[in-house]
Amino acid sequence: MATNSEIRISNPADFGRVAVVMGGSSAEREVSLDSGRNVLAALKARGVDAHAIDGIPALLDALRAGHFARVFNILHGQHGGGEDGVLQGALESLNVPYTGSGVLGSALSMDKTRSKRVWQSLGLPTPKFVALPRGGDASAVHAAAREIGFPLIVKPACEGSSVGVTRVFEEAQLDSAVELAAKYPGDLLMETLIEGDELTVGILGREVLPSIHIVPKGAFYDYNAKYVAEDTQYLCPGLEGAAEAELRTLALTAFDALGCAGWGRVDVMRDRQGRNWLLEVNTAPGMTSHSLVPKAARAAGVDYETLCWRVLETSFRGDA
């Protein structure tokens, strides 16, 4: 359903009645509600006939009843989170236009292990990793860790917002890290911990926004640093000159490789030698007061209301 063409809309009436779907039933529900309230207010301020809907079942009921012309998807996460391709498939079957990536791009990006396999196949840089099947034998986990080498990261393969992520510096910390990640649905992922700078690159249509260098007060950019703390620093652009251009090119290449479209955010680690390592793509990034895509858009001269409008424009596709 995704094409590279961008359609620009000037009249809010052209969007029709818009469902802003938020909340849902994933681990990221509260973040999604926060994002959704902000998006709804911004669209209304620009004259769009937009309405809040909480979760996929309520949305599908409203769509089948003919209440909405299109969907702004600001659900986060999997299993009722609307970011894993399931919602996209349902909307395709109902022939209802929606924002962001389609079924393939959403599903691939949600699964960090499969994302990394695609990037590996194309020679794109991503940290060394091992996929850990759910409920795997402890001895196999420890063997995998020795293969990866310490320090390493253990996390759920299909969660966002740093949910269930642990940095593991020695083998004694491994079992508790696996136990935490296993509290979330799906398989686990173990990967090399890249020590260096955390960067993220927003994509809006075919425009690659300035990178952001994230400098958390604590050891790393965890859930608290993302959504609660007021002392995380965001440097935008994160790099300069050729290094910034190289990072932006890599981000768009990684985004396209997973079949993503519309808008999103690519997370990258830059090691002490200045090499970039792809971590993941978010196909429905946060739009809270702490969120990164709005910060990058602002640095590119795009205010929050205009950003929401332009994301909504991504629901117009040549084959929609």
Side-chain angles (χ1 to χ4, degrees):
M1 185 169 175
T3 70
N4 287 346
S5 59
E6 291 186 61
I7 295 173
R8 307 311 292 266
I9 303 298
S10 57
N11 182 358
D14 290 346
F15 292 117
R17 200 160 188 258
V18 177
V20 180
V21 62
M22 62 182 81
S25 54
S26 82
E28 298 178 74
R29 172 177 171 80
E30 293 307 317
V31 178
S32 173
L33 286 171
D34 192 359
S35 293
R37 285 188 288 265
N38 291 337
V39 169
L40 183 67
L43 293 177
K44 284 178 172 290
R46 291 288 295 265
V48 177
D49 184 15
H51 303 264
I53 295 285
D54 189 342
I56 295 172
L59 174 67
L60 296 181
D61 286 346
L63 292 174
R64 283 190 289 260
H67 294 326
F68 295 103
R70 69 191 59 249
V71 174
F72 191 120
N73 176 26
I74 198 62
L75 290 167
H76 303 320
Q78 61 165 344
H79 296 298
E83 208 175 348
D84 57 5
V86 174
L87 172 61
Q88 290 73 15
L91 296 177
E92 297 274 356
S93 72
L94 295 172
N95 201 30
V96 174
Y98 57 91
T99 55
S101 292
V103 176
L104 177 64
S106 300
L108 264 181
S109 298
M110 193 74 249
D111 189 324
K112 298 178 182 69
T113 303
R114 284 173 173 78
S115 297
K116 289 163 74 71
R117 286 181 176 142
V118 170
W119 291 332
Q120 268 191 337
S121 74
L122 297 171
L124 298 178
T126 190
K128 184 178 179 181
F129 70 99
V130 173
L132 302 175
R134 185 169 195 78
D137 180 68
S139 61
V141 170
H142 282 259
R146 288 191 287 272
E147 179 189 336
I148 293 288
F150 296 94
L152 54 82
I153 292 264
V154 174
K155 56 188 173 184
C158 299
E159 292 290 345
S161 292
S162 299
V163 169
V165 177
T166 306
R167 290 152 56 101
V168 180
F169 292 91
E170 56 188 37
E171 195 157 357
Q173 301 171 314
L174 193 57
D175 291 341
S176 60
V178 169
E179 185 180 348
L180 174 63
K183 290 181 178 178
Y184 300 91
D187 293 339
L188 312 185
L189 174 66
M190 180 187 292
E191 69 180 1
T192 300
L193 169 62
I194 304 296
E195 299 191 83
D197 295 333
E198 189 156 356
L199 293 138
T200 193
V201 182
I203 293 170
L204 181 59
R206 300 304 294 168
E207 179 182 352
V208 185
L209 300 173
S211 73
I212 296 177
H213 174 199
I214 303 156
V215 187
K217 189 79 169 177
F220 80 118
Y221 193 47
D222 59 9
Y223 186 97
N224 186 73
K226 285 182 178 180
Y227 301 113
V228 181
E230 298 293 346
D231 54 7
T232 303
Q233 288 184 281
Y234 302 96
L235 310 179
C236 186
L239 299 172
E240 295 180 356
E244 172 75 4
E246 178 188 348
L247 176 60
R248 291 198 208 182
T249 298
L250 175 63
L252 187 59
T253 302
F255 187 78
D256 289 343
L258 299 184
C260 297
W263 74 302
R265 200 188 75 230
V266 183
D267 294 342
V268 178
M269 286 299 298
R270 186 174 179 83
D271 69 19
R272 304 295 186 211
Q273 289 72 48
R275 294 172 301 196
N276 297 316
W277 299 90
L278 295 163
L279 298 181
E280 63 180 283
V281 173
N282 294 272
T283 54
M287 291 287 278
T288 73
S289 60
H290 285 66
S291 293
L292 300 167
V293 172
K295 293 180 193 296
R298 195 178 312 121
V302 179
D303 64 36
Y304 188 89
E305 288 180 9
T306 304
L307 171 62
C308 292
W309 180 283
R310 286 187 59 184
V311 171
L312 188 55
E313 287 176 331
T314 72
S315 64
F316 285 91
R317 294 187 265 246
D319 51 351

